[in-house]
């Protein structure tokens, strides 16, 4: 699903109209798609009827087309004209012929007819204001929206509300909302998702989100503005296309080795969560590289893993551990650094040595690496594809020119606080421009950025961006980020491209959070282990191997 600004959508429609797909044809296609979604989702309510709140613009027209289509399918339909439409509007005439009722705000000064229609309808289509409207909403339109909102709240059996393209009163660029905006149970948006729908506070009001076509993919149209869109919204099909095949004659080497460098005595579980997640998304082998004191604690909890025991200082990874890692990279096809490392200077020195920004001396501590037959300086193996998360990001921020020393493209997975440390920006400024910030620094650093949070943003250095359309308090819990990092490195280890692994891992993680909340019955009850367990069901749904 493409993600567009209002200006981009308007340019696309202008080019389509100039290429022979007229505005009237686009409206017809949009209305037919809207009616189809209403029938699919709410067809069991057909005897209850559907009322459309109709504006003067394109989405008012979409609503009239949908109402006519639904009337012809047997629905009782009514259109309440909130903003005056052209005299002898053919769309209104068609609805009348199909048996629909036409009511107008002009003839309903006390809103009694509106109140009656709302109480007699099972579904309400909100088609008053479209994507080009900015707050505040004024006059009788504002009164009608406010009246509708209050009436819906007071009805003992509230009808389902379907927003047409967007809830009326939403700014589809900024995500700001008018006070009168009617919360939707479902938003059916046309052709592409509008950026503001995935920004807050608008995202709280859209309900579930569906996209219907307006004909842009038909008739061989090749619109420059349509093809130029580089922002997308992740969905199951996109993720399915990115996941690797799993042939029946595969062996563990087919699916790569994920090396997870993680953990310290204060954050023991981070390594375990990340390692398990890497296995759950299909990695053939997971090696956990942890400070020596953690091995005895963790080994029995993940018998499927192999282990790389690292030198430590008081339970955190020591600087000399960089040599241990470099001498054991032969099998690793992707590496994760960061979960639970801690922020001690020793570990900062380890990371500095590991990424090659300072010379190294050879570590010869007994029990950590086999003695080498070669003398001289440390072995400098090329680092495998890299994922950096959590404390690894905070440590990177303390190293000069860190972005230049990572194998490109690495995958960086900051939450807003970590992004603030990496960039020097304020958290509030990052949150206000999440897409733009992720895109700017992905291009500046030359690495894939996963800006975590509600509707996580994944940006690539080449300008591609994908939003994950999930915002859930189920994921606002310690350890869920470790699960995400493990999923991404597990996919990367299997040979999935950096951007695709980041998108797919983040989507699977988000869907697993939703599934965990459903299983537990509450977002408050979900812990990171629940999200990890839910990955099994999500993976089975997306990639059923048969």
């Amino acid at each position: 699903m493409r993600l567009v600004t209002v200006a981009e959508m308007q340019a696309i429609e202008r080019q389509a109209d100039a290429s022979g797909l007229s505005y009237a044809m686009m409206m017809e296609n949009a209305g037919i798609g809207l009616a189809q979604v209403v029938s699919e989702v709410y067809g069991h309510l057909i005897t209850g009827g559907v009322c459309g709140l109709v504006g003067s613009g394109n989405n008012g027209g979409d609503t009239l087309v949908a109402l006519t289509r639904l009337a012809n399918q047997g629905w009782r339909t009514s259109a309440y004209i909130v903003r005056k439409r052209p005299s002898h509007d053919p769309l209104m005439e068609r609805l009348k012929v199909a048996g629909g009722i036409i009511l107008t705000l002009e003839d309903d000064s006390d809103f009694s007819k509106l109140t009656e229609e709302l109480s007699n309808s099972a579904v309400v289509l909100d088609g008053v204001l479209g994507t080009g409207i900015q707050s505040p909403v004024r006059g009788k339109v504002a009164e009608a929206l406010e009246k509708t909102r209050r009436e819906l709240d007071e009805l003992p059996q509230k009808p389902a509300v379907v927003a047409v393209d967007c809830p009326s009163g939403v700014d589809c660029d900024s995500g700001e909302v008018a006070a009168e905006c009617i919360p939707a149970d479902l938003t059916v948006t046309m052709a592409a998702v509008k950026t503001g729908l995935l920004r807050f506070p608008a995202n709280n009001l859209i309900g579930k989100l569906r996209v219907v076509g307006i004909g842009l993919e038909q008739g061989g149209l090749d619109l420059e503005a349509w093809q130029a869109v580089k922002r997308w919204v992740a969905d199951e099909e996109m993720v399915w296309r990115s996941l690797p095949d799993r042939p029946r004659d595969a062996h563990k080497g087919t699916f790569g080795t994920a090396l997870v460098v993680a953990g310290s005595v204060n954050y023991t579980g981070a390594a375990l969560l990340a390692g398990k997640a890497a296995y759950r998304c299909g990695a053939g082998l997971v090696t956990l590289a942890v400070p020596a004191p953690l091995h005895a604690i963790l080994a029995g909890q993940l018998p499927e893993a192999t282990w790389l025991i690292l030198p430590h200082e008081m339970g955190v990874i020591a600087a000399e551990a960089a040599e241990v890692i470099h001498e054991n990279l032969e099998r690793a096809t992707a590496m994760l650094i960061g979960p639970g490392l801690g922020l001690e200077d020793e570990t900062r020195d380890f990371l500095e040595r590991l990424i090659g920004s300072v010379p190294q001396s050879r570590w010869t501590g007994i029990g950590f690496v086999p003695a080498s037959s070669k003398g001289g300086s440390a072995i400098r193996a090329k680092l495998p594809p890299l994922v950096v998360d959590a404390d690894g990001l905070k440590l990177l921020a303390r190293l000069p020119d860190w972005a230049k020393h990572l194998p490109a493209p690495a995958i960086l997975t900051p939450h807003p606080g970590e992004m603030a440390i990496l960039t020097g920006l304020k958290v509030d400024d990052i949150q206000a421009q999440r897409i733009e910030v992720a895109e700017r620094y992905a291009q500046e650093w030359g690495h894939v950025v996963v800006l975590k949070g509600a509707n996580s943003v994944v940006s690539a250095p080449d300008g591609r961006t994908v939003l994950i359309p999930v915002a859930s308090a189920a994921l606002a819990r310690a350890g869920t980020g470790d699960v995400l990092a493990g999923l991404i490195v597990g996919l990367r280890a299997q040979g999935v491209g950096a951007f695709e692994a980041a998108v797919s891992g983040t989507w699977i993680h988000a869907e697993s959070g939703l599934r965990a909340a459903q299983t537990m019955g509450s977002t408050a009850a979900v812990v990171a282990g629940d999200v990890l367990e839910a990955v099994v069901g999500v993976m089975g749904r997306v990639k059923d191997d048969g």
Side-chain angles (χ1 to χ4, degrees), residues 326-349:
H326 273 289
E327 293 188 8
N328 288 273
L329 289 177
E330 182 178 353
R331 297 179 64 182
T333 54
M335 179 164 62
L336 166 63
I337 302 173
L341 289 184
L343 300 175
E344 285 75 11
D345 288 343
E346 272 288 317
T347 307
R348 184 202 72 88
D349 294 342

Side-chain angles (χ1 to χ4, degrees), residues 210-535:
R210 292 280 294 269
V211 177
V212 296
I214 61 174
L216 299 177
E217 307 288 3
Q218 302 170 8
L221 285 180
D222 186 17
L223 305 179
E224 182 180 348
W226 183 244
Q227 301 303 330
V229 174
K230 286 192 172 184
R231 292 175 178 171
W232 295 76
V233 177
D235 58 17
E236 187 170 315
E237 182 181 355
M238 176 186 290
V239 173
W240 183 87
R241 290 197 305 265
S242 297
L243 297 183
D245 293 329
R246 300 187 68 82
R248 294 172 61 194
D249 61 347
H251 52 83
K252 66 177 181 288
T254 305
F255 304 120
T257 296
L259 176 60
V260 177
V261 184
S264 61
V265 289
N266 290 329
Y267 306 105
T268 305
L272 184 65
L273 289 167
K276 282 187 173 182
Y279 262 135
R280 285 299 189 195
C281 70
L285 178 66
V286 176
T287 297
L288 293 184
V290 298
L294 272 62
H295 176 253
I297 300 170
L298 297 176
Q301 299 185 58
L302 190 57
E304 299 90 349
T306 60
W307 300 87
L308 185 58
I309 311 304
L310 301 180
H312 70 100
E313 291 287 341
M314 299 297 290
V316 302
I317 295 176
E320 292 83 1
E323 282 82 344
V324 180
I325 300 295
H326 273 289
E327 293 188 8
N328 288 273
L329 289 177
E330 182 178 353
R331 297 179 64 182
T333 54
M335 179 164 62
L336 166 63
I337 302 173
L341 289 184
L343 300 175
E344 285 75 11
D345 288 343
E346 272 288 317
T347 307
R348 184 202 72 88
D349 294 342
F350 154 76
L351 185 58
E352 190 173 31
R353 292 189 186 194
L354 182 67
I355 66 174
S357 58
V358 294
Q360 301 187 72
S361 58
R362 185 172 182 77
W363 169 261
T364 57
I366 296 174
F368 295 112
V369 295
S372 173
S373 60
K374 298 180 181 180
S377 61
I379 297 172
R380 299 297 298 145
K382 180 181 178 182
L383 294 178
L386 202 60
V387 181
V388 187
D389 180 51
D391 289 341
L393 297 167
K394 296 175 183 176
L395 295 171
L396 275 184
R398 291 156 58 181
L399 305 180
D401 297 325
W402 58 266
K404 298 178 181 178
H405 294 286
L406 301 180
I411 303 170
L412 313 175
T413 60
H415 59 54
E418 291 158 351
M419 194 67 173
I421 293 171
L422 288 167
T423 63
L425 300 174
K426 295 179 180 179
V427 170
D428 287 347
D429 293 337
I430 292 170
Q431 292 293 76
Q433 297 288 325
R434 288 172 55 79
I435 299 173
E436 294 80 4
V437 168
E439 289 177 338
R440 170 187 169 186
Y441 285 97
Q443 294 175 48
E444 182 176 315
W445 293 333
H447 302 295
V448 174
V449 172
V450 179
L451 182 53
K452 297 186 291 192
N455 301 317
S456 293
V457 183
V458 184
S459 292
D462 62 8
R464 290 177 295 163
T465 294
V466 170
L467 263 69
I468 312 300
V470 175
S472 174
L475 298 172
R477 192 61 63 89
T480 58
D482 305 323
V483 175
L484 171 60
L487 291 171
I488 293 174
V489 78
L491 293 171
R492 194 75 175 102
Q494 295 173 71
V496 179
F499 182 65
E500 291 76 13
V503 169
S504 297
T506 308
W507 186 89
I508 292 167
H509 178 258
E511 290 291 316
S512 298
L514 296 178
R515 182 176 284 245
Q518 185 176 29
T519 299
M520 303 305 294
S522 166
T523 59
V526 174
V527 296
D530 300 323
V531 177
L532 177 59
E533 292 305 312
V535 168

